[in-house]
Amino acid sequence: MRNPCPGSSSPHGRTGRPRSAAADAAILAATRDALVDLGWSKLTMGDVSARAGVAKTTLYRRWAGKNELVVDAVAELFDALELPDRGSLEADIEHVVLQFAQLLRRPEARTALMAVVAESTRDEALRDRIRSAIVDRQKRLVVLGRERAQARGELPHEEDESVAARTTDLIFDVIAGTVVHRALVSAEPVDEAWVTAFTTLLMHGLQGRSEA
């Protein structure tokens, strides 16, 4: 069997014309809009192709089905999250939490995320795709934040890579899980006062800041 051309970025091992970034962006945006309007159960690849102004064959050259398409539409939103250097670990955490909460207030983000999480409870392959396309990619923010904090002397360096990886996983789970639960499950505001209290708890633990 012939190997793909060097440098090919076609998904699922497919070859052919290079993908259009503009078409991809239009398709992912159309997917999020369709989810808000129709919901997961009524959304079809045909709806997305009509909204994006592309043929269904174009969709299927890029994504095998609705599950993969919706996850990538959500992942694109999360990829926009950034972690500018605010000068301290505490300030960095507060900034990214507020940014994350602002993202979750967008109807397309909220609807799409809740839909794929609910569907993934019945679909192991979808869970794996969520993990690789969203969760693992967003752990970059935790890695970057910890590296900066270590360089400032705010956190100790961990020589054991496996220990460092477990710590990264734990920090991500605590922050992402808490914010998603607060914003989407409890439907409570994630405002500056709450973020400050949450960050203080995260930084200093349940015993609170030690008194001098």
Side-chain angles (χ1 to χ4, degrees), residues 2 8 15 27 47 52 59 67-68 74 83 97 121 132 149 185 187:
R2 187 176 61 179
S8 172
T15 60
I27 291 167
D47 294 317
L59 286 186
N67 288 3
E68 293 85 353
V74 177
L83 187 63
V97 169
T121 62
S132 62
V185 179

Side-chain angles (χ1 to χ4, degrees), residues 124 126-137:
E124 185 175 351
L126 182 57
R127 285 199 300 274
D128 291 341
R129 191 172 182 90
I130 291 170
R131 186 179 301 111
S132 62
I134 300 175
V135 175
D136 290 345
R137 290 213 308 241

Side-chain angles (χ1 to χ4, degrees), residues 87-98:
S88 71
L89 177 58
E90 196 161 356
D92 287 354
I93 292 172
E94 289 180 352
H95 175 82
V96 78
V97 169
L98 284 169

Side-chain angles (χ1 to χ4, degrees), residues 101 105 179-191 194:
R105 283 195 290 271
V179 176
V180 168
H181 188 279
R182 173 83 177 178
L184 302 185
V185 179
S186 298
E188 296 287 348
V190 182
D191 53 22
W194 183 88

